[in-house]
mmCIF file of all heavy atoms in Angstrom:
data_model
loop_
_atom_site.group_PDB
_atom_site.id
_atom_site.type_symbol
_atom_site.label_atom_id
_atom_site.label_comp_id
_atom_site.label_asym_id
_atom_site.label_seq_id
_atom_site.Cartn_x
_atom_site.Cartn_y
_atom_site.Cartn_z
ATOM 1 N N ILE H 23 0.828 -1.201 0.000
ATOM 2 C CA ILE H 23 0.000 0.000 0.000
ATOM 3 C C ILE H 23 0.865 1.255 0.000
ATOM 4 O O ILE H 23 0.631 2.200 -0.774
ATOM 5 C CB ILE H 23 -0.942 0.002 1.221
ATOM 6 C CG1 ILE H 23 -1.979 -1.115 1.101
ATOM 7 C CG2 ILE H 23 -1.618 1.358 1.390
ATOM 8 C CD1 ILE H 23 -2.961 -0.945 -0.041
ATOM 9 N N ALA H 24 1.873 1.296 0.857
ATOM 10 C CA ALA H 24 2.704 2.498 0.991
ATOM 11 C C ALA H 24 3.458 2.810 -0.299
ATOM 12 O O ALA H 24 3.441 3.953 -0.777
ATOM 13 C CB ALA H 24 3.681 2.339 2.154
ATOM 14 N N VAL H 25 4.115 1.815 -0.873
ATOM 15 C CA VAL H 25 4.884 2.048 -2.103
ATOM 16 C C VAL H 25 3.954 2.410 -3.244
ATOM 17 O O VAL H 25 4.251 3.302 -4.060
ATOM 18 C CB VAL H 25 5.741 0.815 -2.452
ATOM 19 C CG1 VAL H 25 6.412 0.998 -3.813
ATOM 20 C CG2 VAL H 25 6.788 0.576 -1.377
ATOM 21 N N SER H 26 2.797 1.747 -3.323
ATOM 22 C CA SER H 26 1.826 2.067 -4.374
ATOM 23 C C SER H 26 1.377 3.521 -4.292
ATOM 24 O O SER H 26 1.127 4.167 -5.314
ATOM 25 C CB SER H 26 0.612 1.143 -4.254
ATOM 26 O OG SER H 26 -0.389 1.495 -5.183
ATOM 27 N N ASP H 27 1.295 4.059 -3.079
ATOM 28 C CA ASP H 27 0.876 5.446 -2.893
ATOM 29 C C ASP H 27 2.030 6.441 -2.982
ATOM 30 O O ASP H 27 1.851 7.621 -2.660
ATOM 31 C CB ASP H 27 0.163 5.601 -1.548
ATOM 32 C CG ASP H 27 -1.308 5.197 -1.623
ATOM 33 O OD1 ASP H 27 -1.763 4.845 -2.730
ATOM 34 O OD2 ASP H 27 -1.996 5.233 -0.591
ATOM 35 N N GLY H 28 3.205 5.966 -3.390
ATOM 36 C CA GLY H 28 4.300 6.881 -3.675
ATOM 37 C C GLY H 28 5.356 7.025 -2.607
ATOM 38 O O GLY H 28 6.292 7.819 -2.756
ATOM 39 N N VAL H 29 5.249 6.266 -1.514
ATOM 40 C CA VAL H 29 6.281 6.332 -0.479
ATOM 41 C C VAL H 29 7.495 5.538 -0.945
ATOM 42 O O VAL H 29 7.359 4.429 -1.454
ATOM 43 C CB VAL H 29 5.761 5.762 0.856
ATOM 44 C CG1 VAL H 29 6.809 5.924 1.956
ATOM 45 C CG2 VAL H 29 4.465 6.448 1.256
ATOM 46 N N GLN H 30 8.669 6.106 -0.749
ATOM 47 C CA GLN H 30 9.902 5.428 -1.120
ATOM 48 C C GLN H 30 10.763 5.240 0.123
ATOM 49 O O GLN H 30 10.826 6.128 0.983
ATOM 50 C CB GLN H 30 10.677 6.235 -2.159
ATOM 51 C CG GLN H 30 9.936 6.423 -3.466
ATOM 52 C CD GLN H 30 10.749 7.202 -4.478
ATOM 53 O OE1 GLN H 30 11.966 7.283 -4.383
ATOM 54 N NE2 GLN H 30 10.068 7.765 -5.475
ATOM 55 N N PRO H 31 11.437 4.088 0.235
ATOM 56 C CA PRO H 31 12.322 3.880 1.385
ATOM 57 C C PRO H 31 13.391 4.971 1.435
ATOM 58 O O PRO H 31 13.992 5.311 0.407
ATOM 59 C CB PRO H 31 12.942 2.510 1.102
ATOM 60 C CG PRO H 31 12.010 1.847 0.141
ATOM 61 C CD PRO H 31 11.421 2.939 -0.685
ATOM 62 N N SER H 32 13.601 5.536 2.625
ATOM 63 C CA SER H 32 14.586 6.608 2.771
ATOM 64 C C SER H 32 15.011 6.674 4.233
ATOM 65 O O SER H 32 14.638 5.825 5.050
ATOM 66 C CB SER H 32 13.993 7.948 2.329
ATOM 67 O OG SER H 32 13.035 8.410 3.271
ATOM 68 N N GLU H 33 15.771 7.701 4.557
ATOM 69 C CA GLU H 33 16.218 7.902 5.930
ATOM 70 C C GLU H 33 15.327 8.879 6.681
ATOM 71 O O GLU H 33 15.634 9.234 7.830
ATOM 72 C CB GLU H 33 17.665 8.430 5.927
ATOM 73 C CG GLU H 33 18.686 7.495 5.303
ATOM 74 C CD GLU H 33 18.881 6.224 6.115
ATOM 75 O OE1 GLU H 33 18.741 6.291 7.355
ATOM 76 O OE2 GLU H 33 19.175 5.170 5.520
ATOM 77 N N PHE H 34 14.244 9.319 6.055
ATOM 78 C CA PHE H 34 13.461 10.393 6.662
ATOM 79 C C PHE H 34 11.972 10.055 6.712
ATOM 80 O O PHE H 34 11.413 9.460 5.798
ATOM 81 C CB PHE H 34 13.654 11.697 5.872
ATOM 82 C CG PHE H 34 15.088 12.105 5.710
ATOM 83 C CD1 PHE H 34 15.762 11.839 4.523
ATOM 84 C CD2 PHE H 34 15.767 12.718 6.749
ATOM 85 C CE1 PHE H 34 17.090 12.199 4.374
ATOM 86 C CE2 PHE H 34 17.098 13.080 6.600
ATOM 87 C CZ PHE H 34 17.768 12.826 5.408
ATOM 88 N N ASP H 35 11.336 10.446 7.809
ATOM 89 C CA ASP H 35 9.891 10.466 7.973
ATOM 90 C C ASP H 35 9.222 9.160 7.532
ATOM 91 O O ASP H 35 9.622 8.085 7.940
ATOM 92 C CB ASP H 35 9.314 11.676 7.230
ATOM 93 C CG ASP H 35 9.859 12.994 7.756
ATOM 94 O OD1 ASP H 35 10.183 13.052 8.962
ATOM 95 O OD2 ASP H 35 9.985 13.952 6.971
ATOM 96 N N ALA H 36 8.201 9.270 6.661
ATOM 97 C CA ALA H 36 7.456 8.086 6.245
ATOM 98 C C ALA H 36 8.360 7.090 5.521
ATOM 99 O O ALA H 36 8.213 5.875 5.673
ATOM 100 C CB ALA H 36 6.295 8.487 5.339
ATOM 101 N N GLY H 37 9.292 7.598 4.735
ATOM 102 C CA GLY H 37 10.215 6.723 4.020
ATOM 103 C C GLY H 37 11.073 5.910 4.962
ATOM 104 O O GLY H 37 11.404 4.744 4.679
ATOM 105 N N ASN H 38 11.426 6.494 6.100
ATOM 106 C CA ASN H 38 12.226 5.774 7.083
ATOM 107 C C ASN H 38 11.411 4.676 7.752
ATOM 108 O O ASN H 38 11.917 3.571 7.997
ATOM 109 C CB ASN H 38 12.755 6.746 8.131
ATOM 110 C CG ASN H 38 13.729 6.086 9.096
ATOM 111 O OD1 ASN H 38 14.604 5.329 8.691
ATOM 112 N ND2 ASN H 38 13.563 6.353 10.375
ATOM 113 N N CYS H 39 10.137 4.959 8.034
ATOM 114 C CA CYS H 39 9.253 3.923 8.588
ATOM 115 C C CYS H 39 9.127 2.758 7.613
ATOM 116 O O CYS H 39 9.198 1.590 8.006
ATOM 117 C CB CYS H 39 7.877 4.508 8.875
ATOM 118 S SG CYS H 39 7.814 5.660 10.266
ATOM 119 N N LEU H 40 8.937 3.075 6.342
ATOM 120 C CA LEU H 40 8.822 2.035 5.321
ATOM 121 C C LEU H 40 10.106 1.223 5.231
ATOM 122 O O LEU H 40 10.077 -0.014 5.132
ATOM 123 C CB LEU H 40 8.489 2.663 3.967
ATOM 124 C CG LEU H 40 8.450 1.704 2.774
ATOM 125 C CD1 LEU H 40 7.388 0.634 2.969
ATOM 126 C CD2 LEU H 40 8.195 2.488 1.480
ATOM 127 N N ARG H 41 11.244 1.910 5.260
ATOM 128 C CA ARG H 41 12.538 1.214 5.175
ATOM 129 C C ARG H 41 12.686 0.211 6.315
ATOM 130 O O ARG H 41 13.126 -0.934 6.112
ATOM 131 C CB ARG H 41 13.667 2.246 5.224
ATOM 132 C CG ARG H 41 15.073 1.646 5.144
ATOM 133 C CD ARG H 41 16.131 2.727 5.275
ATOM 134 N NE ARG H 41 16.061 3.382 6.575
ATOM 135 C CZ ARG H 41 16.622 2.906 7.690
ATOM 136 N NH1 ARG H 41 17.278 1.740 7.659
ATOM 137 N NH2 ARG H 41 16.525 3.556 8.817
ATOM 138 N N ARG H 42 12.293 0.601 7.517
ATOM 139 C CA ARG H 42 12.418 -0.294 8.665
ATOM 140 C C ARG H 42 11.453 -1.471 8.570
ATOM 141 O O ARG H 42 11.771 -2.597 8.982
ATOM 142 C CB ARG H 42 12.197 0.500 9.958
ATOM 143 C CG ARG H 42 13.339 1.451 10.273
ATOM 144 C CD ARG H 42 13.216 2.081 11.657
ATOM 145 N NE ARG H 42 12.146 3.075 11.726
ATOM 146 C CZ ARG H 42 11.047 2.919 12.423
ATOM 147 N NH1 ARG H 42 10.813 1.796 13.097
ATOM 148 N NH2 ARG H 42 10.137 3.877 12.449
ATOM 149 N N ILE H 43 10.260 -1.221 8.039
ATOM 150 C CA ILE H 43 9.291 -2.309 7.850
ATOM 151 C C ILE H 43 9.825 -3.319 6.842
ATOM 152 O O ILE H 43 9.732 -4.546 7.040
ATOM 153 C CB ILE H 43 7.937 -1.750 7.379
ATOM 154 C CG1 ILE H 43 7.240 -0.982 8.512
ATOM 155 C CG2 ILE H 43 7.031 -2.855 6.852
ATOM 156 C CD1 ILE H 43 6.686 -1.845 9.609
ATOM 157 N N ILE H 44 10.382 -2.822 5.734
ATOM 158 C CA ILE H 44 10.954 -3.717 4.718
ATOM 159 C C ILE H 44 12.079 -4.553 5.320
ATOM 160 O O ILE H 44 12.155 -5.779 5.118
ATOM 161 C CB ILE H 44 11.466 -2.910 3.519
ATOM 162 C CG1 ILE H 44 10.297 -2.245 2.777
ATOM 163 C CG2 ILE H 44 12.271 -3.797 2.568
ATOM 164 C CD1 ILE H 44 10.731 -1.303 1.664
ATOM 165 N N LYS H 45 12.958 -3.886 6.072
ATOM 166 C CA LYS H 45 14.092 -4.580 6.681
ATOM 167 C C LYS H 45 13.617 -5.683 7.625
ATOM 168 O O LYS H 45 14.136 -6.808 7.610
ATOM 169 C CB LYS H 45 14.955 -3.579 7.437
ATOM 170 C CG LYS H 45 16.201 -4.186 8.070
ATOM 171 C CD LYS H 45 17.043 -3.108 8.755
ATOM 172 C CE LYS H 45 18.285 -3.713 9.414
ATOM 173 N NZ LYS H 45 19.107 -2.675 10.090
ATOM 174 N N LYS H 46 12.585 -5.368 8.421
ATOM 175 C CA LYS H 46 12.079 -6.363 9.360
ATOM 176 C C LYS H 46 11.403 -7.517 8.634
ATOM 177 O O LYS H 46 11.566 -8.686 9.012
ATOM 178 C CB LYS H 46 11.093 -5.712 10.335
ATOM 179 C CG LYS H 46 10.615 -6.661 11.430
ATOM 180 C CD LYS H 46 9.747 -5.943 12.442
ATOM 181 C CE LYS H 46 9.271 -6.887 13.529
ATOM 182 N NZ LYS H 46 8.415 -6.191 14.530
ATOM 183 N N ALA H 47 10.639 -7.208 7.576
ATOM 184 C CA ALA H 47 9.960 -8.257 6.821
ATOM 185 C C ALA H 47 10.967 -9.226 6.213
ATOM 186 O O ALA H 47 10.781 -10.445 6.264
ATOM 187 C CB ALA H 47 9.086 -7.634 5.730
ATOM 188 N N VAL H 48 12.023 -8.691 5.628
ATOM 189 C CA VAL H 48 13.048 -9.537 5.011
ATOM 190 C C VAL H 48 13.751 -10.381 6.071
ATOM 191 O O VAL H 48 14.019 -11.576 5.867
ATOM 192 C CB VAL H 48 14.066 -8.664 4.243
ATOM 193 C CG1 VAL H 48 15.247 -9.510 3.774
ATOM 194 C CG2 VAL H 48 13.392 -7.986 3.055
ATOM 195 N N MET H 49 14.028 -9.776 7.218
ATOM 196 C CA MET H 49 14.701 -10.502 8.297
ATOM 197 C C MET H 49 13.836 -11.653 8.811
ATOM 198 O O MET H 49 14.322 -12.782 9.014
ATOM 199 C CB MET H 49 15.019 -9.547 9.442
ATOM 200 C CG MET H 49 15.731 -10.200 10.628
ATOM 201 S SD MET H 49 16.019 -9.042 11.989
ATOM 202 C CE MET H 49 14.314 -8.766 12.536
ATOM 203 N N VAL H 50 12.549 -11.378 9.008
ATOM 204 C CA VAL H 50 11.626 -12.420 9.484
ATOM 205 C C VAL H 50 11.522 -13.542 8.458
ATOM 206 O O VAL H 50 11.535 -14.728 8.807
ATOM 207 C CB VAL H 50 10.238 -11.815 9.780
ATOM 208 C CG1 VAL H 50 9.193 -12.915 9.954
ATOM 209 C CG2 VAL H 50 10.285 -10.938 11.023
ATOM 210 N N ALA H 51 11.410 -13.169 7.185
ATOM 211 C CA ALA H 51 11.303 -14.173 6.124
ATOM 212 C C ALA H 51 12.548 -15.054 6.065
ATOM 213 O O ALA H 51 12.452 -16.284 5.973
ATOM 214 C CB ALA H 51 11.068 -13.492 4.783
ATOM 215 N N ASP H 52 13.720 -14.428 6.135
ATOM 216 C CA ASP H 52 14.975 -15.170 5.996
ATOM 217 C C ASP H 52 15.307 -15.999 7.237
ATOM 218 O O ASP H 52 15.629 -17.191 7.131
ATOM 219 C CB ASP H 52 16.126 -14.197 5.713
ATOM 220 C CG ASP H 52 16.029 -13.553 4.339
ATOM 221 O OD1 ASP H 52 15.205 -14.017 3.528
ATOM 222 O OD2 ASP H 52 16.757 -12.578 4.088
ATOM 223 N N ASN H 53 15.213 -15.368 8.403
ATOM 224 C CA ASN H 53 15.722 -16.002 9.619
ATOM 225 C C ASN H 53 14.716 -16.928 10.303
ATOM 226 O O ASN H 53 15.103 -17.990 10.803
ATOM 227 C CB ASN H 53 16.169 -14.930 10.622
ATOM 228 C CG ASN H 53 17.323 -14.093 10.090
ATOM 229 O OD1 ASN H 53 18.017 -14.498 9.154
ATOM 230 N ND2 ASN H 53 17.529 -12.922 10.673
ATOM 231 N N GLN H 54 13.459 -16.532 10.324
ATOM 232 C CA GLN H 54 12.482 -17.323 11.068
ATOM 233 C C GLN H 54 11.654 -18.262 10.190
ATOM 234 O O GLN H 54 11.283 -19.346 10.622
ATOM 235 C CB GLN H 54 11.546 -16.393 11.851
ATOM 236 C CG GLN H 54 12.256 -15.623 12.968
ATOM 237 C CD GLN H 54 11.310 -14.702 13.703
ATOM 238 O OE1 GLN H 54 11.207 -13.526 13.389
ATOM 239 N NE2 GLN H 54 10.612 -15.247 14.683
ATOM 240 N N LEU H 55 11.387 -17.828 8.961
ATOM 241 C CA LEU H 55 10.554 -18.648 8.088
ATOM 242 C C LEU H 55 11.352 -19.425 7.041
ATOM 243 O O LEU H 55 10.764 -20.156 6.242
ATOM 244 C CB LEU H 55 9.507 -17.755 7.400
ATOM 245 C CG LEU H 55 8.516 -17.094 8.369
ATOM 246 C CD1 LEU H 55 7.628 -16.092 7.630
ATOM 247 C CD2 LEU H 55 7.652 -18.150 9.056
ATOM 248 N N LYS H 56 12.658 -19.238 7.047
ATOM 249 C CA LYS H 56 13.547 -19.992 6.137
ATOM 250 C C LYS H 56 13.068 -19.869 4.689
ATOM 251 O O LYS H 56 12.970 -20.863 3.948
ATOM 252 C CB LYS H 56 13.617 -21.455 6.550
ATOM 253 C CG LYS H 56 13.925 -21.681 8.022
ATOM 254 C CD LYS H 56 15.235 -21.030 8.456
ATOM 255 C CE LYS H 56 15.497 -21.249 9.943
ATOM 256 N NZ LYS H 56 16.708 -20.503 10.396
ATOM 257 N N ALA H 57 12.760 -18.644 4.302
ATOM 258 C CA ALA H 57 12.210 -18.388 2.974
ATOM 259 C C ALA H 57 13.283 -18.415 1.902
ATOM 260 O O ALA H 57 14.457 -18.147 2.177
ATOM 261 C CB ALA H 57 11.514 -17.022 2.964
ATOM 262 N N PRO H 58 12.903 -18.711 0.672
ATOM 263 C CA PRO H 58 13.857 -18.642 -0.434
ATOM 264 C C PRO H 58 14.255 -17.190 -0.695
ATOM 265 O O PRO H 58 13.582 -16.262 -0.237
ATOM 266 C CB PRO H 58 13.080 -19.231 -1.612
ATOM 267 C CG PRO H 58 11.648 -19.056 -1.241
ATOM 268 C CD PRO H 58 11.576 -19.174 0.244
ATOM 269 N N PRO H 59 15.315 -16.948 -1.454
ATOM 270 C CA PRO H 59 15.763 -15.579 -1.729
ATOM 271 C C PRO H 59 14.662 -14.730 -2.366
ATOM 272 O O PRO H 59 13.872 -15.227 -3.181
ATOM 273 C CB PRO H 59 16.933 -15.787 -2.693
ATOM 274 C CG PRO H 59 17.435 -17.163 -2.405
ATOM 275 C CD PRO H 59 16.211 -17.959 -2.038
ATOM 276 N N SER H 60 14.612 -13.461 -1.962
ATOM 277 C CA SER H 60 13.655 -12.479 -2.512
ATOM 278 C C SER H 60 12.210 -12.928 -2.343
ATOM 279 O O SER H 60 11.349 -12.581 -3.158
ATOM 280 C CB SER H 60 13.956 -12.219 -3.996
ATOM 281 O OG SER H 60 15.277 -11.758 -4.172
ATOM 282 N N PHE H 61 11.945 -13.693 -1.282
ATOM 283 C CA PHE H 61 10.595 -14.240 -1.103
ATOM 284 C C PHE H 61 9.541 -13.164 -0.869
ATOM 285 O O PHE H 61 8.387 -13.320 -1.277
ATOM 286 C CB PHE H 61 10.574 -15.230 0.061
ATOM 287 C CG PHE H 61 9.203 -15.731 0.397
ATOM 288 C CD1 PHE H 61 8.543 -16.612 -0.456
ATOM 289 C CD2 PHE H 61 8.540 -15.303 1.537
ATOM 290 C CE1 PHE H 61 7.265 -17.069 -0.163
ATOM 291 C CE2 PHE H 61 7.268 -15.753 1.838
ATOM 292 C CZ PHE H 61 6.640 -16.642 0.983
ATOM 293 N N VAL H 62 9.903 -12.070 -0.198
ATOM 294 C CA VAL H 62 8.919 -11.041 0.137
ATOM 295 C C VAL H 62 8.178 -10.563 -1.103
ATOM 296 O O VAL H 62 6.964 -10.337 -1.090
ATOM 297 C CB VAL H 62 9.585 -9.863 0.869
ATOM 298 C CG1 VAL H 62 8.580 -8.733 1.084
ATOM 299 C CG2 VAL H 62 10.139 -10.322 2.217
ATOM 300 N N SER H 63 8.907 -10.421 -2.224
ATOM 301 C CA SER H 63 8.267 -9.953 -3.458
ATOM 302 C C SER H 63 7.220 -10.937 -3.967
ATOM 303 O O SER H 63 6.279 -10.553 -4.671
ATOM 304 C CB SER H 63 9.320 -9.717 -4.545
ATOM 305 O OG SER H 63 9.928 -10.941 -4.933
ATOM 306 N N THR H 64 7.347 -12.210 -3.574
ATOM 307 C CA THR H 64 6.385 -13.224 -3.997
ATOM 308 C C THR H 64 4.996 -12.945 -3.445
ATOM 309 O O THR H 64 3.981 -13.311 -4.058
ATOM 310 C CB THR H 64 6.850 -14.618 -3.528
ATOM 311 O OG1 THR H 64 8.178 -14.861 -4.000
ATOM 312 C CG2 THR H 64 5.929 -15.712 -4.041
ATOM 313 N N LEU H 65 4.930 -12.292 -2.292
ATOM 314 C CA LEU H 65 3.646 -12.044 -1.640
ATOM 315 C C LEU H 65 2.880 -10.877 -2.251
ATOM 316 O O LEU H 65 1.656 -10.785 -2.095
ATOM 317 C CB LEU H 65 3.867 -11.771 -0.147
ATOM 318 C CG LEU H 65 4.415 -12.928 0.689
ATOM 319 C CD1 LEU H 65 4.680 -12.466 2.111
ATOM 320 C CD2 LEU H 65 3.451 -14.103 0.680
ATOM 321 N N ILE H 66 3.582 -9.979 -2.944
ATOM 322 C CA ILE H 66 2.952 -8.749 -3.439
ATOM 323 C C ILE H 66 1.744 -9.029 -4.330
ATOM 324 O O ILE H 66 0.667 -8.447 -4.132
ATOM 325 C CB ILE H 66 3.970 -7.867 -4.172
ATOM 326 C CG1 ILE H 66 5.183 -7.569 -3.264
ATOM 327 C CG2 ILE H 66 3.308 -6.572 -4.637
ATOM 328 C CD1 ILE H 66 4.849 -6.939 -1.940
#
């Protein structure tokens, strides 16, 4: 939803929140769910 509405990962404000969410999603997918590479994009 955020990226579709024009938010881009960055170091500031909404972009920083998005960046941290992406980082956490990838970490959870890789470390806890043993997902294949680039799995997060599969869910989109």
Side-chain angles (χ1 to χ4, degrees):
I23 293 294
V25 173
S26 175
D27 277 358
V29 184
Q30 298 181 21
S32 72
E33 298 293 329
F34 305 100
D35 300 330
N38 187 44
C39 289
L40 175 61
R41 180 183 63 83
R42 289 189 288 112
I43 289 288
I44 293 174
K45 182 177 179 180
K46 185 175 180 180
V48 172
M49 180 183 68
V50 167
D52 291 348
N53 297 341
Q54 294 179 265
L55 297 173
K56 310 303 179 185
S60 302
F61 174 71
V62 174
S63 66
T64 305
L65 295 175
I66 305 304

